[in-house]
Amino acid sequence: TAVTTPTNVTTPSYVFSSTKAGTITYGGSCSSSTTAATTNNNTVTLNALDEGDYSNCTVKVTDNATNESNTLTVSSFTIDITAPTVSSVSSSSADGNYFFDQDNNTITISVTFNESVYVDNSSGNPRIQLETGSTDQYATYVAGSSSQVLSFNYTVQSGDSSLDLDYKATNSLSANNGTIRDSAGNNATLTLASPGASNSLAANKVLVVGGWRQQSYIKSANSEASDHFGISVSLDNDTLVVGARHEKS
């Protein structure tokens, strides 16, 4: 049985079959403390290996009569013990203003890793905590497993506010009881760039959430340029008075 590849185990196991009992000899970069072979299947645990690619490992069995088996080449394998890291955070949503009561009120946040990652959200969905004012909302994972870019959706809620949307802190990305791993099984390091710094969401996009927007406007039905309509404004509860210094009607 071939060594699992890639693997984050530095002492991987290898299974081979022998027609006779005897002494095992290892070649290439691989060795093992297991030196006795039995008939049929033998499972050996290789001695600790460094991170890297291995393609020159061999196994040979010599029986008690000094008869040597054919040299068996171990299938190539890779040991990878380096965790994936986050390269940058951005968004596929257009720059601009987003309000809770508009049709397009969902922002997609993109987290790019330095290698492909795989998401298992069967026990919990990864998420990013955002800085959205008095109540900090979450963007939850929606797509991207087996690629370098994971997508998270945030739907603007009533009361949310941000002049330049960003996550809350460097530890805002969480697996949330799920997992984010590379193909070798290494858990990703989820540390983000500092909010506002290079490679952060706010540095890469200009996404404005909530805040002020024009609801209506008032114009004169018969104003002339010399009327100075709007030169003064007074608001008292639901009563609005607009000055027009030279209006003659």
Side-chain angles (χ1 to χ4, degrees), residues 80-102:
D80 175 7
I81 58 174
T82 302
T85 58
V86 176
S87 300
S88 66
V89 182
S90 188
S91 175
S92 58
S93 299
D95 289 342
N97 295 73
Y98 292 82
F99 299 92
F100 81 96
D101 57 353
Q102 70 184 44

Side-chain angles (χ1 to χ4, degrees), residues 27-44:
S29 302
C30 295
S31 62
S32 174
S33 60
T34 301
T35 57
T38 61
T39 56
N40 298 320
N41 288 340
N42 293 267
T43 300
V44 297

Side-chain angles (χ1 to χ4, degrees), residues 131-215:
E131 178 55 72
T132 53
S134 58
T135 301
D136 292 322
Q137 307 291 354
Y138 287 90
T140 56
Y141 167 76
V142 291
S145 184
S146 76
S147 74
Q148 286 185 247
V149 182
L150 301 184
S151 297
F152 298 74
N153 276 356
Y154 154 58
T155 300
V156 179
Q157 303 296 309
S158 177
D160 290 356
S161 179
S162 176
L163 293 177
D164 191 0
L165 184 65
D166 211 342
Y167 42 80
K168 188 172 179 64
T170 57
N171 62 350
S172 288
L173 175 58
S174 167
N176 192 33
N177 295 320
T179 62
I180 303 174
R181 295 171 173 160
D182 64 14
S183 59
N186 298 299
N187 286 313
T189 299
L190 303 181
T191 304
L192 306 176
S194 296
S198 177
N199 295 318
S200 69
L201 176 61
N204 289 326
K205 299 292 291 187
V206 181
L207 303 166
V208 181
V209 174
W212 179 91
R213 61 175 165 169
Q214 180 175 299
Q215 298 290 334

